[in-house]
Amino acid sequence: MKKKWYLVLLLLGLWAGSCAAVGFAVRSRMIRQLHFTEVPVACHTLQRRTPITEDDLCLRTLPASALSDSVVTDPQLILGRWTDLQGRIPAGSPFYQEMLSSLTQMPDRSVPALNPGQAVFPLSVDIRDTGGNAMQPGQNVDLYVYGQDAQRHDLMDCLFRNVRILEIQNRSGQPMTADSQDVPSLILLAVDQTYIPVLSLAEKKGTIELYLTSESYSLQECTLNRESTVLSWLAPQLVPSS
């Protein structure tokens, strides 16, 4: 009787071992077929037009068969890029090529280049206004304003100093490079938001001229010349009281 029980237990053990071996083999084969790989995903929700840093990336192991061709698997191809303008990237989501933009490809590339509290001020120009293409993005220029007062007296003076150039565009709206042969048509300037009304008024009532100076590479930006003779003509409320 005992031999019979031993035989039953032996058969059960062999059966259990066979099942375990088969299960292990099936699992191993599935893992090989699925080919798991580490993929960078968003650690937290990224809003649109956000620069992506290392703090935004986490690695997650996912089956390669579940990843489309547009998933970016190399973190180095993600870092330094910007999220797309059309939508945010939710937490835990892989990064897709269509979700990412490089600064040079962004049509609104001038906006991320602004400092806090600044706005983009566009100004129509020609090749004379840009000093024969001597002006380049990153330089600072002084803004002079010419106009006539109520008595038709000519006025001209520097209104803003060290205004940073964000971009110079040709007639097609494409950015110009230092060796470009195109004719400039529009210059984008970084100005403090509070000064937008003054500049808009200066453009409507007179003419704004740009000049490179010895301070064109200064780190200080967009300084209002409160002693300017044209300031009382444009915005008397900004003239310092005596």
Side-chain angles (χ1 to χ4, degrees):
M1 187 68 180
K2 289 183 179 181
K3 290 182 179 180
K4 193 173 185 179
W5 278 109
Y6 287 148
L7 182 59
V8 171
L9 291 174
L10 179 62
L11 291 174
L12 287 174
L14 292 173
W15 177 80
S18 299
C19 289
V22 170
F24 179 79
V26 171
R27 183 174 179 275
S28 299
R29 184 176 180 182
M30 289 179 63
I31 291 175
R32 288 196 301 271
Q33 288 180 339
L34 289 173
H35 183 54
F36 283 88
T37 185
E38 280 193 332
V39 178
V41 300
C43 293
H44 44 260
T45 298
L46 298 174
Q47 302 300 327
R48 58 182 184 167
R49 279 299 182 256
T50 300
I52 302 172
T53 66
E54 291 183 355
D55 294 336
D56 301 319
L57 301 185
C58 295
L59 292 178
R60 179 174 295 177
T61 302
L62 299 172
S65 59
L67 303 176
S68 68
D69 293 338
S70 62
V71 172
V72 183
T73 57
D74 185 353
Q76 296 305 315
L77 298 179
I78 300 173
L79 294 173
R81 303 288 291 277
W82 292 69
T83 55
D84 189 68
L85 183 61
Q86 303 304 319
R88 61 181 187 174
I89 299 178
S93 170
F95 291 87
Y96 295 86
Q97 294 176 5
E98 57 269 22
M99 291 180 171
L100 306 173
S101 300
S102 65
L103 193 59
T104 56
Q105 296 172 333
M106 290 160 49
D108 57 334
R109 54 190 159 266
S110 295
V111 177
L114 294 172
N115 294 328
Q118 289 185 333
V120 177
F121 185 78
L123 188 66
S124 296
V125 293
D126 56 27
I127 195 165
R128 175 187 175 279
D129 297 325
T130 59
N133 287 347
M135 295 180 185
Q136 296 297 320
Q139 290 176 326
N140 292 342
V141 290
D142 287 354
L143 270 59
Y144 280 74
V145 176
Y146 167 81
Q148 292 183 332
D149 61 15
Q151 289 74 41
R152 302 190 66 79
H153 296 147
D154 289 339
L155 300 171
M156 186 173 185
D157 202 357
C158 178
L159 184 61
F160 288 96
R161 301 191 187 280
N162 300 330
V163 178
R164 179 164 51 101
I165 299 173
L166 295 170
E167 186 174 295
I168 301 176
Q169 298 179 353
N170 60 21
R171 294 177 181 177
S172 301
Q174 298 300 315
M176 293 179 54
T177 58
D179 57 350
S180 176
Q181 300 300 314
D182 292 338
V183 176
S185 178
L186 192 70
I187 191 167
L188 304 182
L189 303 171
V191 301
D192 292 359
Q193 292 178 358
T194 54
Y195 298 147
I196 288 291
V198 181
L199 279 170
S200 297
L201 192 59
E203 190 176 23
K204 288 179 173 61
K205 294 181 66 174
T207 303
I208 298 177
E209 297 183 3
L210 310 177
Y211 292 94
L212 292 168
T213 72
S214 59
E215 299 296 320
S216 292
Y217 303 99
S218 170
L219 295 178
Q220 188 175 10
E221 291 187 25
C222 197
T223 303
L224 175 65
N225 179 16
R226 295 186 180 275
E227 304 298 326
S228 175
T229 57
V230 298
L231 187 58
S232 58
W233 171 58
L234 295 170
Q237 72 276 10
L238 296 179
V239 177
S241 57
S242 56

